[in-house]
Amino acid sequence: MSIFAARLTSKMEKIFNNTEVAFALKSDTELKKAYFLFKLISKQSLVKIGTSLTHFAINSKLPVKGLIKSTVFDHFCGGVNEQDCLQVVDKMYTKGVSSVLDYSVEGKETEEQFDATLAMTLRTIEFAKEKQAIPFAVFKPTGVGRFYLFEKKGENLPFTESEQQEWDRIINRFDKICSYAHQLDVMILIDAEHSWMQDAADELVLDMMRKYNKEKCIVFNTAQTYRWDRFDFVKKVHLIGLQEGFHTGFKVVRGAYMEIERQRAAEKGYPSPICATKAQTDATFNKTAAYIIDNLDNKMAIFAGSHNEESNEMLIEKMRQQNISHNDDRVWFGQLYGMSDNISYNLAKHQYNVAKYLPFGPVYDVVPYLIRRAEENTSVAGQTNRELDLIVTEIKRRRNIR
Ligand SMILES: Cc1cc2nc3c(=O)[nH]c(=O)nc-3n(C[C@H](O)[C@H](O)[C@H](O)COP(=O)(O)OP(=O)(O)OC[C@H]3O[C@@H](n4cnc5c(N)ncnc54)[C@H](O)[C@@H]3O)c2cc1C
C-alpha cells in the first residue's frame, strides 16, 4: 500500500469509525438489543437451526410471529406497511439519511399477488414524490411476474399462448411502474436476482431505460458484481445508451445469492457465473463503480449499494480526485436498514447522498429477506464482528462521558 493510500484509508477509517455519529439515533436499550441480535446471528449453527425452526414453525402454524417481529424483523424492517415506515423515514432524515421503501414480499406466484405488488410499488412512487426523504422507489422483477417465465424467456424457449399473455402482463407491469416514475420524476431501482432469470429482466429494464431515461436517469438496473461478466455488461448497456441517446443508471452491488448460484452451476454442469474468489468480486465491484464515476458526464449515474468500507472509500476518493461534489445527484450510496449505520450516517454527516433500503411487509412474507440478512451477517464474519465492535465502542463511549 502506498503512503498516500495508507493515509487515505486511515482518514476514512476515522470517519467511518465515528460511533457517536453512527448511533446518534439509537437509545442505550436499542444499542444493547442490536448487540445481542448480532451476537446471536454471528453464530452459523444458530442461524441454521433458527432458519429450519422458523420454516417448521410457520408451516405448522405455530404462533412465532411475535418472536420474529420483536427480534430480526424490528431490526431489519421499517414495519408491516408503508405507513409504519414513515416514522423511521423521518427519524433517519433528521441526520440526512434518506430511505428507499422496499416492499419485501417474496416468492409469490399468482396474478393477484403480482397486481398487489404493482399497486404497492406505484404507491411508494407517490410517497417518494411527496417526501424529499425518499428519493427512489424500488421493485423486484419476480415481484411482478413468475420466476419460471423470466427463466423461460431468458432461455429463448417458446411460450404457450397463455404464457405469452402472462409475459405481456409482466411487460405491462414494468411499463406502468417506470412510466409512473418518469411522470412523477422519481428514480426507480430494479433489483437483480438469480442469474438464470436475469437475462430476461435485463432486456426489459433496457427497454425501460430506452423509453424513460431520455432526459436523465430515472430507471436504474442492478449489476451484481459477484458475477464476473457484469463489468462488460455495464459497459455494453452504456454503449447502447450512448448510441441510442439515453442515460444509463446502475445500482452496483456484490450480490446476495452466491451459494445457490454456485450450487446450481455445479449440479447442472455449467461454468459458475460467480467470481472464483472474494478478491475478484471486490475488484469487479470497484472497477464497475469506478467506470460509472468516470462516465458521469457521459450520461451515467450510480447507486452504490455496499457495506464494504474499502469500496465506499474508493468511491469517495474517486469523487475527490475528479472534483465531484459530495451531493452530486448522479452519485448515491446505499446500505440496508439495520446494517452499517457507521457508513450511512458518517457519509451523510459529510453531505454525501445516502439512502437506506427500508424493507416492509407482513411479518411472515418478509421471512426470506430476513433469512438472507441473517445468513449474510453470519457468512461475512468480518462484517458482523465490525458491527459488534462498533456497538461496544459506542456503549463504552457513552459510559465514559457520564
Ligand atoms: C442498498 C442495497 C441494495 C441491494 N440490492 C441487491 C440486489 O438488487 N440484488 C442482490 O443480489 N443483492 C442486493 N444487495 C445485497 C448485496 O448483494 C449484499 O448486501 C452484498 O453482497 C454484501 O456485500 P458488500 O458490498 O456489503 O461487501 P462485502 O461484505 O465485502 O462482500 C460480501 C459479498 O462478497 C461476495 N463474496 C463473498 N465471498 C465470496 C467468494 N468467496 N467469492 C466470490 N464472491 C464472494 C458475495 O456477494 C457476498 O455477499 C443490496 C445491498 C444493498 C446495500
mmCIF file of all heavy atoms in Angstrom, residues 228-257:
data_model
loop_
_atom_site.group_PDB
_atom_site.id
_atom_site.type_symbol
_atom_site.label_atom_id
_atom_site.label_comp_id
_atom_site.label_asym_id
_atom_site.label_seq_id
_atom_site.Cartn_x
_atom_site.Cartn_y
_atom_site.Cartn_z
ATOM 1 N N TRP A 228 -18.755 -12.399 -12.813
ATOM 2 C CA TRP A 228 -17.556 -11.899 -13.487
ATOM 3 C C TRP A 228 -17.883 -11.225 -14.819
ATOM 4 O O TRP A 228 -17.073 -10.502 -15.377
ATOM 5 C CB TRP A 228 -16.521 -13.015 -13.670
ATOM 6 C CG TRP A 228 -17.082 -14.313 -14.174
ATOM 7 C CD1 TRP A 228 -17.404 -15.397 -13.421
ATOM 8 C CD2 TRP A 228 -17.406 -14.664 -15.530
ATOM 9 N NE1 TRP A 228 -17.919 -16.404 -14.210
ATOM 10 C CE2 TRP A 228 -17.929 -15.985 -15.517
ATOM 11 C CE3 TRP A 228 -17.303 -14.009 -16.759
ATOM 12 C CZ2 TRP A 228 -18.350 -16.643 -16.670
ATOM 13 C CZ3 TRP A 228 -17.729 -14.664 -17.902
ATOM 14 C CH2 TRP A 228 -18.241 -15.967 -17.855
ATOM 15 N N ASP A 229 -19.133 -11.440 -15.331
ATOM 16 C CA ASP A 229 -19.455 -10.832 -16.629
ATOM 17 C C ASP A 229 -20.085 -9.433 -16.502
ATOM 18 O O ASP A 229 -20.398 -8.804 -17.503
ATOM 19 C CB ASP A 229 -20.425 -11.740 -17.414
ATOM 20 C CG ASP A 229 -21.792 -11.879 -16.728
ATOM 21 O OD1 ASP A 229 -21.936 -11.444 -15.572
ATOM 22 O OD2 ASP A 229 -22.721 -12.424 -17.355
ATOM 23 N N ARG A 230 -20.260 -8.948 -15.275
ATOM 24 C CA ARG A 230 -21.075 -7.723 -15.138
ATOM 25 C C ARG A 230 -20.368 -6.422 -15.515
ATOM 26 O O ARG A 230 -21.025 -5.445 -15.897
ATOM 27 C CB ARG A 230 -21.641 -7.610 -13.711
ATOM 28 C CG ARG A 230 -22.716 -8.635 -13.377
ATOM 29 C CD ARG A 230 -23.992 -8.485 -14.195
ATOM 30 N NE ARG A 230 -24.053 -9.302 -15.370
ATOM 31 C CZ ARG A 230 -25.149 -9.474 -16.109
ATOM 32 N NH1 ARG A 230 -26.274 -8.883 -15.753
ATOM 33 N NH2 ARG A 230 -25.132 -10.211 -17.200
ATOM 34 N N PHE A 231 -19.027 -6.395 -15.410
ATOM 35 C CA PHE A 231 -18.337 -5.173 -15.824
ATOM 36 C C PHE A 231 -18.582 -4.946 -17.326
ATOM 37 O O PHE A 231 -18.967 -3.854 -17.757
ATOM 38 C CB PHE A 231 -16.846 -5.273 -15.504
ATOM 39 C CG PHE A 231 -16.046 -4.090 -15.981
ATOM 40 C CD1 PHE A 231 -16.290 -2.811 -15.494
ATOM 41 C CD2 PHE A 231 -15.053 -4.255 -16.945
ATOM 42 C CE1 PHE A 231 -15.555 -1.714 -15.958
ATOM 43 C CE2 PHE A 231 -14.313 -3.169 -17.405
ATOM 44 C CZ PHE A 231 -14.568 -1.898 -16.910
ATOM 45 N N ASP A 232 -18.398 -6.016 -18.093
ATOM 46 C CA ASP A 232 -18.616 -5.907 -19.550
ATOM 47 C C ASP A 232 -20.084 -5.603 -19.857
ATOM 48 O O ASP A 232 -20.391 -4.866 -20.797
ATOM 49 C CB ASP A 232 -18.207 -7.208 -20.260
ATOM 50 C CG ASP A 232 -16.694 -7.349 -20.290
ATOM 51 O OD1 ASP A 232 -16.010 -6.326 -20.145
ATOM 52 O OD2 ASP A 232 -16.202 -8.482 -20.427
ATOM 53 N N PHE A 233 -20.971 -6.179 -19.042
ATOM 54 C CA PHE A 233 -22.403 -5.933 -19.255
ATOM 55 C C PHE A 233 -22.729 -4.444 -19.064
ATOM 56 O O PHE A 233 -23.425 -3.825 -19.891
ATOM 57 C CB PHE A 233 -23.214 -6.803 -18.287
ATOM 58 C CG PHE A 233 -24.682 -6.491 -18.259
ATOM 59 C CD1 PHE A 233 -25.499 -6.825 -19.336
ATOM 60 C CD2 PHE A 233 -25.255 -5.848 -17.164
ATOM 61 C CE1 PHE A 233 -26.857 -6.517 -19.322
ATOM 62 C CE2 PHE A 233 -26.613 -5.540 -17.138
ATOM 63 C CZ PHE A 233 -27.407 -5.877 -18.229
ATOM 64 N N VAL A 234 -22.199 -3.860 -17.984
ATOM 65 C CA VAL A 234 -22.462 -2.436 -17.720
ATOM 66 C C VAL A 234 -21.937 -1.583 -18.872
ATOM 67 O O VAL A 234 -22.613 -0.677 -19.364
ATOM 68 C CB VAL A 234 -21.837 -2.005 -16.361
ATOM 69 C CG1 VAL A 234 -21.829 -0.494 -16.200
ATOM 70 C CG2 VAL A 234 -22.593 -2.664 -15.206
ATOM 71 N N LYS A 235 -20.713 -1.934 -19.336
ATOM 72 C CA LYS A 235 -20.132 -1.156 -20.447
ATOM 73 C C LYS A 235 -20.988 -1.299 -21.714
ATOM 74 O O LYS A 235 -21.194 -0.335 -22.444
ATOM 75 C CB LYS A 235 -18.706 -1.646 -20.734
ATOM 76 C CG LYS A 235 -17.704 -1.105 -19.726
ATOM 77 C CD LYS A 235 -16.284 -1.046 -20.267
ATOM 78 C CE LYS A 235 -15.798 -2.386 -20.747
ATOM 79 N NZ LYS A 235 -14.381 -2.374 -21.107
ATOM 80 N N LYS A 236 -21.498 -2.515 -21.915
ATOM 81 C CA LYS A 236 -22.318 -2.761 -23.124
ATOM 82 C C LYS A 236 -23.603 -1.911 -23.087
ATOM 83 O O LYS A 236 -23.945 -1.241 -24.073
ATOM 84 C CB LYS A 236 -22.672 -4.263 -23.207
ATOM 85 C CG LYS A 236 -23.344 -4.657 -24.505
ATOM 86 C CD LYS A 236 -23.661 -6.141 -24.551
ATOM 87 C CE LYS A 236 -25.111 -6.351 -24.175
ATOM 88 N NZ LYS A 236 -25.531 -7.722 -24.048
ATOM 89 N N VAL A 237 -24.271 -1.925 -21.938
ATOM 90 C CA VAL A 237 -25.515 -1.141 -21.826
ATOM 91 C C VAL A 237 -25.208 0.343 -22.000
ATOM 92 O O VAL A 237 -25.943 1.085 -22.666
ATOM 93 C CB VAL A 237 -26.222 -1.400 -20.467
ATOM 94 C CG1 VAL A 237 -27.426 -0.492 -20.300
ATOM 95 C CG2 VAL A 237 -26.637 -2.860 -20.342
ATOM 96 N N HIS A 238 -24.075 0.775 -21.426
ATOM 97 C CA HIS A 238 -23.695 2.182 -21.556
ATOM 98 C C HIS A 238 -23.493 2.558 -23.029
ATOM 99 O O HIS A 238 -23.960 3.616 -23.487
ATOM 100 C CB HIS A 238 -22.410 2.435 -20.734
ATOM 101 C CG HIS A 238 -21.936 3.844 -20.806
ATOM 102 N ND1 HIS A 238 -20.615 4.198 -20.861
ATOM 103 C CD2 HIS A 238 -22.627 5.015 -20.840
ATOM 104 C CE1 HIS A 238 -20.508 5.509 -20.936
ATOM 105 N NE2 HIS A 238 -21.712 6.040 -20.916
ATOM 106 N N LEU A 239 -22.810 1.668 -23.748
ATOM 107 C CA LEU A 239 -22.556 1.931 -25.166
ATOM 108 C C LEU A 239 -23.873 2.032 -25.944
ATOM 109 O O LEU A 239 -24.051 2.933 -26.777
ATOM 110 C CB LEU A 239 -21.704 0.778 -25.738
ATOM 111 C CG LEU A 239 -20.933 1.120 -27.001
ATOM 112 C CD1 LEU A 239 -19.906 2.205 -26.731
ATOM 113 C CD2 LEU A 239 -20.240 -0.144 -27.542
ATOM 114 N N ILE A 240 -24.801 1.127 -25.645
ATOM 115 C CA ILE A 240 -26.110 1.177 -26.319
ATOM 116 C C ILE A 240 -26.777 2.521 -25.998
ATOM 117 O O ILE A 240 -27.330 3.190 -26.867
ATOM 118 C CB ILE A 240 -27.018 -0.001 -25.864
ATOM 119 C CG1 ILE A 240 -26.401 -1.340 -26.267
ATOM 120 C CG2 ILE A 240 -28.429 0.130 -26.447
ATOM 121 C CD1 ILE A 240 -27.121 -2.567 -25.720
ATOM 122 N N GLY A 241 -26.685 2.916 -24.718
ATOM 123 C CA GLY A 241 -27.278 4.188 -24.294
ATOM 124 C C GLY A 241 -26.691 5.363 -25.071
ATOM 125 O O GLY A 241 -27.425 6.248 -25.539
ATOM 126 N N LEU A 242 -25.359 5.345 -25.238
ATOM 127 C CA LEU A 242 -24.720 6.453 -25.961
ATOM 128 C C LEU A 242 -25.152 6.464 -27.428
ATOM 129 O O LEU A 242 -25.427 7.516 -28.007
ATOM 130 C CB LEU A 242 -23.199 6.334 -25.860
ATOM 131 C CG LEU A 242 -22.600 6.647 -24.477
ATOM 132 C CD1 LEU A 242 -21.086 6.461 -24.496
ATOM 133 C CD2 LEU A 242 -22.954 8.058 -24.016
ATOM 134 N N GLN A 243 -25.231 5.244 -27.996
ATOM 135 C CA GLN A 243 -25.620 5.173 -29.422
ATOM 136 C C GLN A 243 -27.067 5.618 -29.635
ATOM 137 O O GLN A 243 -27.400 6.297 -30.586
ATOM 138 C CB GLN A 243 -25.460 3.735 -29.939
ATOM 139 C CG GLN A 243 -24.025 3.398 -30.286
ATOM 140 C CD GLN A 243 -23.794 1.883 -30.378
ATOM 141 O OE1 GLN A 243 -24.686 1.095 -30.078
ATOM 142 N NE2 GLN A 243 -22.599 1.490 -30.771
ATOM 143 N N GLU A 244 -27.928 5.220 -28.677
ATOM 144 C CA GLU A 244 -29.364 5.484 -28.883
ATOM 145 C C GLU A 244 -29.840 6.751 -28.176
ATOM 146 O O GLU A 244 -30.999 7.149 -28.312
ATOM 147 C CB GLU A 244 -30.187 4.276 -28.399
ATOM 148 C CG GLU A 244 -29.879 3.021 -29.186
ATOM 149 C CD GLU A 244 -30.766 1.850 -28.773
ATOM 150 O OE1 GLU A 244 -31.829 2.069 -28.164
ATOM 151 O OE2 GLU A 244 -30.367 0.717 -29.058
ATOM 152 N N GLY A 245 -28.942 7.338 -27.369
ATOM 153 C CA GLY A 245 -29.272 8.629 -26.750
ATOM 154 C C GLY A 245 -30.103 8.534 -25.478
ATOM 155 O O GLY A 245 -30.981 9.357 -25.243
ATOM 156 N N PHE A 246 -29.834 7.530 -24.631
ATOM 157 C CA PHE A 246 -30.485 7.541 -23.314
ATOM 158 C C PHE A 246 -29.444 7.436 -22.197
ATOM 159 O O PHE A 246 -28.295 7.044 -22.439
ATOM 160 C CB PHE A 246 -31.544 6.424 -23.205
ATOM 161 C CG PHE A 246 -31.030 5.011 -23.301
ATOM 162 C CD1 PHE A 246 -30.476 4.367 -22.196
ATOM 163 C CD2 PHE A 246 -31.107 4.304 -24.504
ATOM 164 C CE1 PHE A 246 -30.008 3.055 -22.287
ATOM 165 C CE2 PHE A 246 -30.645 2.987 -24.594
ATOM 166 C CZ PHE A 246 -30.090 2.374 -23.484
ATOM 167 N N HIS A 247 -29.851 7.798 -20.974
ATOM 168 C CA HIS A 247 -28.954 7.745 -19.815
ATOM 169 C C HIS A 247 -28.941 6.334 -19.222
ATOM 170 O O HIS A 247 -29.951 5.623 -19.263
ATOM 171 C CB HIS A 247 -29.409 8.733 -18.741
ATOM 172 C CG HIS A 247 -29.252 10.164 -19.169
ATOM 173 N ND1 HIS A 247 -28.295 11.011 -18.634
ATOM 174 C CD2 HIS A 247 -29.935 10.897 -20.093
ATOM 175 C CE1 HIS A 247 -28.396 12.196 -19.208
ATOM 176 N NE2 HIS A 247 -29.388 12.162 -20.097
ATOM 177 N N THR A 248 -27.796 5.961 -18.664
ATOM 178 C CA THR A 248 -27.638 4.618 -18.105
ATOM 179 C C THR A 248 -27.416 4.698 -16.599
ATOM 180 O O THR A 248 -26.415 5.255 -16.142
ATOM 181 C CB THR A 248 -26.417 3.916 -18.761
ATOM 182 O OG1 THR A 248 -26.607 3.917 -20.170
ATOM 183 C CG2 THR A 248 -26.269 2.491 -18.274
ATOM 184 N N GLY A 249 -28.350 4.132 -15.842
ATOM 185 C CA GLY A 249 -28.209 4.131 -14.381
ATOM 186 C C GLY A 249 -28.027 2.715 -13.875
ATOM 187 O O GLY A 249 -28.720 1.800 -14.331
ATOM 188 N N PHE A 250 -27.090 2.521 -12.959
ATOM 189 C CA PHE A 250 -26.912 1.203 -12.357
ATOM 190 C C PHE A 250 -26.788 1.296 -10.841
ATOM 191 O O PHE A 250 -26.070 2.149 -10.324
ATOM 192 C CB PHE A 250 -25.640 0.510 -12.885
ATOM 193 C CG PHE A 250 -25.904 -0.333 -14.099
ATOM 194 C CD1 PHE A 250 -25.594 0.139 -15.360
ATOM 195 C CD2 PHE A 250 -26.483 -1.587 -13.973
ATOM 196 C CE1 PHE A 250 -25.845 -0.632 -16.490
ATOM 197 C CE2 PHE A 250 -26.745 -2.363 -15.096
ATOM 198 C CZ PHE A 250 -26.435 -1.888 -16.354
ATOM 199 N N LYS A 251 -27.525 0.411 -10.184
ATOM 200 C CA LYS A 251 -27.215 0.115 -8.785
ATOM 201 C C LYS A 251 -26.124 -0.943 -8.859
ATOM 202 O O LYS A 251 -26.282 -1.943 -9.551
ATOM 203 C CB LYS A 251 -28.462 -0.425 -8.080
ATOM 204 C CG LYS A 251 -28.180 -1.068 -6.718
ATOM 205 C CD LYS A 251 -29.423 -1.090 -5.845
ATOM 206 C CE LYS A 251 -30.563 -1.909 -6.407
ATOM 207 N NZ LYS A 251 -30.592 -3.313 -5.896
ATOM 208 N N VAL A 252 -25.008 -0.676 -8.199
ATOM 209 C CA VAL A 252 -23.914 -1.644 -8.209
ATOM 210 C C VAL A 252 -23.843 -2.311 -6.838
ATOM 211 O O VAL A 252 -23.741 -1.627 -5.812
ATOM 212 C CB VAL A 252 -22.567 -0.954 -8.555
ATOM 213 C CG1 VAL A 252 -21.439 -1.976 -8.605
ATOM 214 C CG2 VAL A 252 -22.674 -0.229 -9.895
ATOM 215 N N VAL A 253 -23.966 -3.637 -6.822
ATOM 216 C CA VAL A 253 -23.900 -4.397 -5.551
ATOM 217 C C VAL A 253 -22.960 -5.586 -5.786
ATOM 218 O O VAL A 253 -22.554 -5.845 -6.917
ATOM 219 C CB VAL A 253 -25.297 -4.913 -5.108
ATOM 220 C CG1 VAL A 253 -26.277 -3.776 -4.910
ATOM 221 C CG2 VAL A 253 -25.864 -5.942 -6.093
ATOM 222 N N ARG A 254 -22.648 -6.314 -4.733
ATOM 223 C CA ARG A 254 -21.857 -7.539 -4.940
ATOM 224 C C ARG A 254 -22.799 -8.687 -5.308
ATOM 225 O O ARG A 254 -22.590 -9.368 -6.291
ATOM 226 C CB ARG A 254 -21.016 -7.835 -3.697
ATOM 227 C CG ARG A 254 -19.760 -6.953 -3.653
ATOM 228 C CD ARG A 254 -18.903 -7.233 -2.446
ATOM 229 N NE ARG A 254 -17.607 -6.581 -2.535
ATOM 230 C CZ ARG A 254 -17.373 -5.286 -2.363
ATOM 231 N NH1 ARG A 254 -18.377 -4.464 -2.077
ATOM 232 N NH2 ARG A 254 -16.147 -4.778 -2.457
ATOM 233 N N GLY A 255 -23.853 -8.898 -4.537
ATOM 234 C CA GLY A 255 -24.809 -9.951 -4.906
ATOM 235 C C GLY A 255 -25.134 -10.858 -3.737
ATOM 236 O O GLY A 255 -24.273 -11.141 -2.909
ATOM 237 N N ALA A 256 -26.386 -11.288 -3.687
ATOM 238 C CA ALA A 256 -26.892 -11.936 -2.480
ATOM 239 C C ALA A 256 -27.159 -13.430 -2.627
ATOM 240 O O ALA A 256 -27.613 -14.059 -1.691
ATOM 241 C CB ALA A 256 -28.171 -11.233 -2.038
ATOM 242 N N TYR A 257 -26.894 -14.016 -3.801
ATOM 243 C CA TYR A 257 -27.313 -15.409 -3.996
ATOM 244 C C TYR A 257 -26.130 -16.311 -4.356
ATOM 245 O O TYR A 257 -26.271 -17.258 -5.130
ATOM 246 C CB TYR A 257 -28.386 -15.483 -5.107
ATOM 247 C CG TYR A 257 -29.533 -14.508 -4.926
ATOM 248 C CD1 TYR A 257 -29.523 -13.252 -5.532
ATOM 249 C CD2 TYR A 257 -30.630 -14.839 -4.136
ATOM 250 C CE1 TYR A 257 -30.573 -12.352 -5.359
ATOM 251 C CE2 TYR A 257 -31.682 -13.948 -3.961
ATOM 252 C CZ TYR A 257 -31.643 -12.708 -4.580
ATOM 253 O OH TYR A 257 -32.687 -11.827 -4.411
#
